[in-house]
Amino acid sequence: MQKLLQCLFFLSLSCFCSFPSSAFSRNPNRQFSQANNYEGSSDLVDLRYHMGPVLASPINLYIIWYGHWNPTHQSTIRDFIYSLSSPAPYPSVADWWRTVRFYTDQTGSNITGNIVLSGEFYDSVYSHGIYLSRLAIQSTINSAVTASKTRALPLNPHNGLYLVLTSSDVRVQDFCRAVCGFHYFSFPTIVGVTVPYAWVGYSGSQCPGMCAYPFAWPDYSKMPPPGAGGVGGSNVMRPPNGDPGVDGMISVIAHELAEVSSNPLVNAWYAGEDPTAPTEIADLCMGVYGTGGGGGYVGKVYRGTWGVVYNVNGVKGRKFMVQWVWNPVTRRCFGPNALD
């Protein structure tokens, strides 16, 4: 979860950077044909349970929209949240979440499949400025729960999960330089109680090449996502909802929701001995979106109308591209669009 980026693709301190950590391949088709089980599978991954809680009770999810947001982008993100626990054609977002649900607490209770968008708060006045430290993210939650009664979010320490989303003009500590999102738990001295939360920033204008992979590519690489192919001569994958920033952001949101659900207090599911720098269930599969993924290749995914690329279906006919997560049963990265 908490990792900082070093050199090109090394990660370390609670973050998700949405490009792959391995070296890029110039021949992804050969790579795919050589590896039937290439998606990060390994008996060497030491993912263990550390006896802490998981989010087993139905989740009341609260979104804090910090800054000025495009209503179309908000609608896309809402539909993704709805898709987590709503039926859609297979393979769906809810099918993807079923892998997350394999994780249990010490009582044997699985992570919940019931995620409800229970409230939204619009902080369009930038109550804490346009430059936010990591700790200031908790202050935005405090502002949302202590606002006037007509607009405040409930402070829910029992089954509340708070998702802070910052707009394109907000600068967050380490955003783009080292992180695209992170999750943690609030301090009672700031928020009043301990609640799990996650933050994700909109990268469309700040760093699409870092945080909107595979719909954008780092400028310094001069290379598209391996295997992207493109349509009509284009070498960049086309986002399913029309905006690289928001479509890349959705995969980061998925990544953080999977990890905050399986490791909300940083004492449940992770690999490594240091809880301040854990490797969590989505960290193990960064850059993998389909069968054969790895080594800089996203894997086998679908192409829709106008050449858009996706791997899961959502509500209202939506399509999304969501990174796979680690399956503790098969001990490999997995998503419902898997071919094997």
Side-chain angles (χ1 to χ4, degrees):
M1 185 249 304
Q2 296 242 326
K3 302 178 196 53
L4 288 176
L5 184 65
Q6 296 178 351
C7 299
L8 184 59
F9 295 136
F10 178 73
L11 297 164
S12 82
L13 203 66
S14 171
C15 72
F16 166 59
C17 298
S18 56
F19 47 79
S21 58
S22 302
F24 304 132
S25 166
R26 294 181 181 272
N27 192 348
N29 290 329
R30 177 170 62 82
Q31 201 173 52
F32 176 72
S33 63
Q34 287 180 343
N36 294 325
N37 205 23
Y38 193 69
E39 305 87 19
S41 59
S42 175
D43 291 331
L44 302 179
V45 172
D46 187 26
L47 181 70
R48 290 182 292 153
Y49 177 54
H50 295 80
M51 303 306 289
V54 302
L55 300 188
S57 299
I59 294 172
N60 286 323
L61 180 67
Y62 305 100
I63 296 180
I64 297 168
W65 302 99
Y66 191 91
H68 286 293
W69 277 89
N70 181 322
T72 299
H73 295 170
Q74 290 178 307
S75 179
T76 302
I77 292 170
R78 285 190 198 98
D79 286 346
F80 174 73
I81 299 299
Y82 296 144
S83 300
L84 287 166
S85 55
S86 298
Y90 188 89
S92 69
V93 175
D95 295 321
W96 171 85
W97 188 257
R98 287 192 180 96
T99 300
V100 179
R101 295 201 63 208
F102 278 125
Y103 292 89
T104 63
D105 62 16
Q106 57 185 304
T107 71
S109 298
N110 296 81
I111 290 174
T112 182
N114 187 354
I115 303 169
V116 178
L117 180 54
S118 300
E120 300 177 66
F121 182 83
Y122 302 89
D123 195 336
S124 58
V125 299
Y126 302 83
S127 61
H128 297 276
I130 62 171
Y131 299 96
L132 300 177
S133 67
R134 285 178 177 245
L135 197 58
I137 298 298
Q138 295 192 27
S139 296
T140 68
I141 299 173
N142 180 63
S143 295
V145 300
T146 58
S148 64
K149 292 183 179 179
T150 56
R151 49 194 295 266
L153 292 178
L155 184 55
N156 184 347
H158 304 294
N159 60 348
L161 172 59
Y162 295 80
L163 178 61
V164 181
L165 305 177
T166 50
S167 59
S168 60
D169 55 343
V170 177
R171 302 297 193 265
V172 176
Q173 180 185 357
D174 294 328
F175 184 35
C176 293
R177 184 184 69 81
V179 302
C180 301
F182 65 81
H183 74 87
Y184 207 59
F185 54 88
S186 67
F187 302 152
T189 53
I190 298 176
V191 177
V193 296
T194 296
V195 291
Y197 71 92
W199 160 79
V200 178
Y202 176 81
S203 63
S205 57
Q206 294 189 45
C207 53
M210 178 177 175
C211 296
Y213 175 90
F215 306 116
W217 200 241
D219 293 337
Y220 53 77
S221 74
K222 307 301 180 185
M223 295 172 58
V231 177
S234 171
N235 286 322
V236 177
M237 288 185 166
R238 292 188 178 179
N241 297 285
D243 183 85
V246 76
D247 278 297
M249 187 179 188
I250 282 170
S251 189
V252 184
I253 291 172
H255 179 116
E256 297 303 334
L257 291 181
E259 293 189 339
V260 74
S261 296
S262 57
N263 197 27
L265 300 182
V266 201
N267 61 358
W269 288 95
Y270 63 87
E273 299 300 325
D274 184 358
T276 66
T279 298
E280 299 175 283
I281 70 171
D283 295 327
L284 291 166
C285 304
M286 288 199 308
V288 178
Y289 296 80
T291 297
Y297 174 48
V298 300
K300 290 286 187 178
V301 295
Y302 305 119
R303 290 191 181 275
T305 306
W306 309 111
V308 302
V309 178
Y310 68 99
N311 63 355
V312 288
N313 296 297
V315 299
K316 303 177 185 178
R318 293 277 194 186
K319 299 183 185 302
F320 301 103
M321 186 79 155
V322 178
Q323 178 220 299
W324 284 8
V325 294
W326 187 261
N327 185 318
V329 178
T330 59
R331 298 187 61 79
R332 59 180 288 192
C333 299
F334 183 78
N337 59 310
L339 300 178
D340 55 354

